[in-house]
Amino acid sequence: MTRRLLLSYLSLTLLVLLALEVPLGYFYARSQGFHFTGDQRHAAEILAGALEERVERGDTAGLRRAVGDFTEETASHVLVVDSAGRLLHDTRGTLPTGTDLSREPDIAGALRGRHTSRTGHSPVLSGEALTVTVPNSFGGTVRCAVRVSYPLAPMASRIHGTWTTLALIGLGVLVAVAAIALALARWVTRPVRDLERATAELADGGLTELPTTAKGPPELRRLASTLSRTATRLQHLLHAQRAFASEASHQLKTPLTALRLRLENFEPYLDPRAHDSLDEAVKEVERLGRMVHGLLALARLENSASTPEATDLDTVVADRAATWVAFAAEHHVGIAATGEQAGAVWAIPGALEQIIDNLLSNALRVSPPGSTITLARTVTRDGSGRPVVELHVMDQGPGMTEAERARAFDRFWRAADSHHDGTGLGLPIVQQLTRAGGGDVVLGTAPGGGLDAVVRLRPVREHRTGAGRGQRPAARKATAGVS
């Protein structure tokens, strides 16, 4: 922002300078040309008048002295011709005396009483020159004509000097404006950077230092003050919510455990016909405990803002499949990991383990004996052409209808014909964990009619082979297995 403000100030200043200095320099150069032409024509006319008497008397020596004094003062080249156009004197000696110049246009015009002037290259002066040809006429009779060539280099030097001066003035103004604009831009953007830092820290879940309210423009100071009050309030609410989740986690476990023990202690004293009802009550207490556990897990996920890290999906899939093989074998269900090597993907620490555990737990509940749960990895592209890594967890159970799949991620929702004791929080936890890493999860139909849970993850585009391997595995959170 500082650079943009600085560039805007400098651009505006440069535009103003160009609008002022370019016309000024142009009109100065044009004015110098007009004045130079007029002055030199007047000087040539004065010289022609001074030579009239010498030409009439045939005073060649006096003519040469007068012309010599003039050329020494003006550094010009002078030709003097008589009324017939014959050369009387050439200051540079380029033409012999007596040369007939009456046919040259400017000489012929001067002999008829006309004044002419032109600019162009002069071989005698070796550069650009202004050539003025004037007659000396008195009473309508032309007695002589004078051609004077003035070098334009002095005038061009003055014009160039003026342009240089204007450029230096403009540069000095730009430097001064840049220094002032830089100080002003920093004064304006310093509180903006402070606000940006504060909002970034607040988005990450904790604000270590409130933005300053004593620097910058009044509008930004008021904004910083408002943000400080908002951040303080939000931090207070976040701390209170986290404290509630933490305390509730401990406070609810104890009475639920005690209630379960009391119910189990009733068993010896109950009529055998009431044992089934007691078992159902114990199962409901256990389900209530899992539900409280799942709610607290979701609260912790929503209250925390972890930064995604590169995690090797292949290593995690192999590890979780090996862990669940023995447990699945007790239910006579197989687990197979297939597909191509996916490499590293973005995920918050420990999330992939929890996602796979929850999906395997749900799949195992509905898988019939003798079936297989498949963990398949594919690399594809989304609608915009970006690469996406997909992890498919497919079972051979009854599957879900399209309407059921649309509601499966709602909290506490369970299928109407569900016969297991799930809480309806496993898939919401999977969705929360996946989206925290920048991915998503959808449900589809597996080949054969089962459920296909597709976890879509962002790959790490530029990583070395084995990126994510060797990292310290994050501790598995207690959310695994919640359905």
Side-chain angles (χ1 to χ4, degrees):
M1 186 175 181
T2 302
R3 289 195 299 270
R4 289 194 292 271
L5 285 175
L6 183 60
L7 287 175
S8 64
Y9 294 146
L10 291 178
S11 300
L12 181 60
T13 304
L14 182 60
L15 182 62
V16 172
L17 288 174
L18 290 176
L20 292 176
E21 291 192 346
V22 171
L24 179 61
Y26 171 77
F27 286 117
Y28 174 80
R30 191 172 181 181
S31 174
Q32 284 290 306
F34 286 148
H35 283 91
F36 183 79
T37 301
D39 292 344
Q40 303 312 321
R41 177 182 293 179
H42 182 63
E45 291 173 349
I46 294 175
L47 176 62
L51 296 180
E52 177 185 4
E53 185 178 352
R54 295 177 174 82
V55 171
E56 287 183 347
R57 295 199 313 263
D59 186 3
T60 304
L63 183 146
R64 290 183 177 180
R65 283 196 302 272
V67 172
D69 294 340
F70 180 85
T71 56
E72 183 178 353
E73 180 180 351
T74 60
S76 58
H77 172 223
V78 179
L79 292 177
V80 181
V81 298
D82 59 15
S83 58
R86 290 187 295 273
L87 181 64
L88 297 177
H89 181 58
D90 180 1
T91 56
R92 299 295 177 97
T94 56
L95 295 175
T97 302
T99 302
D100 185 6
L101 301 178
S102 60
R103 295 185 179 182
E104 295 193 9
D106 59 331
I107 298 294
L111 294 178
R112 289 193 293 271
R114 292 201 306 267
H115 296 69
T116 60
S117 60
R118 60 181 176 84
T119 58
H121 182 75
S122 173
V124 177
L125 298 177
S126 301
E128 294 295 313
L130 170 66
T131 301
V132 178
T133 306
V134 296
N136 179 296
S137 61
F138 182 78
T141 302
V142 176
R143 295 178 175 80
C144 67
V146 177
R147 176 197 286 173
V148 184
S149 297
Y150 300 96
L152 294 178
M155 183 184 69
S157 178
R158 288 195 302 272
I159 293 175
H160 292 161
T162 301
W163 280 111
T164 302
T165 302
L166 291 174
L168 291 176
I169 292 174
L171 181 61
V173 171
L174 284 177
V175 171
V177 169
I180 297 172
L182 182 60
L184 181 61
R186 287 181 174 177
W187 177 69
V188 172
T189 58
R190 185 178 293 110
V192 175
R193 292 194 298 269
D194 201 17
L195 288 171
E196 181 183 12
R197 174 197 56 79
T199 53
E201 290 184 357
L202 188 61
D204 290 337
L207 183 59
T208 58
E209 182 181 356
L210 292 174
T212 179
T213 59
K215 296 180 180 179
E219 295 81 3
L220 291 179
R221 291 201 297 268
R222 289 194 294 269
L223 177 61
S225 178
T226 303
L227 180 63
S228 297
R229 292 196 302 271
T230 304
T232 302
R233 179 63 177 165
L234 286 176
Q235 282 190 304
H236 175 72
L237 293 176
L238 287 174
H239 289 322
Q241 191 173 3
R242 289 172 183 172
F244 168 77
S246 177
E247 292 171 2
S249 176
H250 292 86
Q251 297 298 327
L252 290 176
K253 286 179 182 179
T254 301
L256 287 175
T257 303
L259 178 60
R260 177 182 175 183
L261 292 176
R262 288 180 181 273
L263 289 174
E264 290 176 347
N265 289 335
F266 285 156
E267 185 175 5
Y269 307 103
L270 293 177
D271 188 280
R273 290 173 297 182
H275 285 178
D276 291 341
S277 297
L278 179 63
D279 291 341
E280 292 295 330
V282 171
K283 289 180 179 179
E284 286 299 319
V285 171
E286 292 177 349
R287 181 171 174 272
L288 179 60
R290 291 195 300 273
M291 186 178 296
V292 170
H293 180 75
L295 286 173
L296 295 175
L298 277 174
R300 285 194 295 269
L301 284 174
E302 292 172 350
N303 292 337
S304 61
S306 300
T307 302
E309 297 179 356
T311 307
D312 193 318
L313 178 62
D314 304 315
T315 301
V316 175
V317 168
D319 175 69
R320 302 322 301 157
T323 301
W324 279 84
V325 162
F327 185 67
E330 296 178 1
H331 297 75
H332 307 286
V333 175
I335 294 180
T338 63
E340 57 187 303
Q341 295 292 311
V345 296
W346 292 111
I348 62 175
L352 287 181
E353 292 85 347
Q354 297 177 63
I355 291 170
I356 295 174
D357 285 346
N358 277 284
L359 294 178
L360 286 176
S361 177
N362 289 345
L364 190 59
R365 283 193 177 96
V366 299
S367 295
S371 63
T372 300
I373 300 173
T374 304
L375 298 173
R377 289 150 293 168
T378 61
V379 180
T380 181
R381 293 186 178 273
D382 61 12
S384 60
R386 293 175 297 183
V388 176
V389 173
E390 293 185 348
L391 172 63
H392 297 256
V393 180
M394 298 177 287
D395 60 57
Q396 297 175 342
M400 290 183 178
T401 65
E402 184 176 353
E404 289 174 339
R405 292 197 301 270
R407 295 199 56 194
F409 293 103
D410 296 343
R411 296 183 183 183
F412 306 113
W413 181 87
R414 294 192 299 164
D417 58 349
S418 177
H419 301 294
H420 61 79
D421 56 354
T423 62
L425 293 175
L427 287 177
I429 290 176
V430 169
Q431 187 182 59
Q432 189 78 16
L433 289 170
T434 307
R435 289 181 176 178
D440 199 6
V441 57
V442 295
L443 299 179
T445 302
L451 187 67
D452 180 11
V454 184
V455 181
R456 294 170 178 166
L457 303 166
R458 295 184 300 122
V460 179
R461 299 194 179 193
E462 296 181 4
H463 65 282
R464 291 174 295 183
T465 302
R469 292 184 173 88
Q471 299 183 84
R472 181 177 61 84
R476 285 182 56 199
K477 298 182 182 177
T479 57
V482 178
S483 62

